[in-house]
Amino acid sequence: MHESIAFPNLGIEFEHVGKSISVFGFEIAFYGIIIGLAILIGFGIATAEARRTRQNPEDYMDMGLIGVICGIAGARIYYIIFSWDMYKDNLLSVFNLREGGLAIYGGIIGAILSVLVCAKVKRLSAPQILDTVAMALVNGQMLGRWGNFFNREVFGGYTDSLFAMRLPLDAVRGRDVTEEMRQYMEVIDGVSYIQVHPTFLYESLWCLGVLLFLFFYRKHKKYEGELFLLYLFGYGLGRVWIEGIRTDQLFLPGTTLPVSQLLAGGMVVLTGILLLYLRKHHKRMPLLRAHVDYKPMPPKIEGNKKPRSKDRLFKNME
């Protein structure tokens, strides 16, 4: 298999881009490394936001561990449901995550359900928790898409645009290659190449924009849950058009309707209506008010002596 990835119209070429790295004889996929890094950074973002809003960061460590497990399970279940033909003849392959097969919407659903359960058990505000983790979630999606870069997957149809990506034909899954790609296929030094939309890159950049918007807007939000709704609206809006050009879509059984595109469109409509409605009526809803029982450490301890930085529980709190 050839390992080059190029962006010819940008003059960028990577000659050797492997899918994994060998550590003491064990192959570790770059996709897994990137997902692990995204989870660690997500924990940092969520706990920092918890400190800023005077919540208990330890609650988010507990919920985060449960949320990661539920998110991965949800992502796998979602993918299998809409790709059942790939697994029905070999049920053990359901547990083989090394071959890929995770759907981000399933991960979001699994993580949200875990948050709702944890909030109920811990008697915390679910909308406040969802706001606190919103930036962590979009960060995970932004970084996680780069795992698709190493796997040569999640790309769109043929294009000769500025960001066109050139891939060796033998490095991609055959079912993701369309007739149009084959029509414009190039042969260079005996190697066949296809040229496609790098939709993983489009989505990563879109998520970066959503992340920056949430970061600057968070201090101006009107009610608990608003940041999370804005995250769903912004992400869904981008996913509607990006999903439309991908070649690895999951379809509703028995139809040619892309399930993720339909879900994204429905999410945009629903969250848009909620954002408009709650903008005017949120004050009537106690559920959407902050629930803060956790108090920060006093600014001074031991008389007039200021605490050392390592003694402060809330270093980032305003």
Side-chain angles (χ1 to χ4, degrees), residues 214-232:
L214 294 179
F215 179 80
F216 288 109
Y217 183 77
R218 62 193 173 134
K219 295 181 182 180
H220 306 286
K221 70 176 186 178
K222 303 298 182 182
Y223 54 88
E224 299 300 334
E226 185 180 15
L227 284 185
F228 186 72
L229 289 175
L230 286 169
Y231 151 67
L232 292 179

Side-chain angles (χ1 to χ4, degrees), residues 237-270:
L237 197 62
R239 190 67 183 267
V240 167
W241 71 269
I242 293 172
E243 192 70 25
I245 58 177
R246 281 175 56 170
T247 62
D248 62 338
Q249 297 169 333
L250 300 176
F251 299 101
L252 286 175
T255 74
T256 57
L257 299 174
V259 62
S260 293
Q261 190 174 36
L262 290 174
L263 184 58
M267 186 168 67
V268 168
V269 173
L270 179 60

Side-chain angles (χ1 to χ4, degrees), residues 4 9 13 27 38 44 46 51 69 74 84 93 96 107-108 128 136 151-152 174 206 248 251 256 273 277 284 286 292:
S4 66
N9 295 336
E13 181 173 5
E27 291 293 321
R51 292 189 185 97
I69 296 172
W84 180 241
S93 63
N96 185 11
I108 294 172
Q128 186 177 35
N151 281 0
R152 283 87 163 170
W206 183 271
D248 62 338
F251 299 101
T256 57
I273 292 172
Y277 179 81
R284 304 176 187 176
V292 180

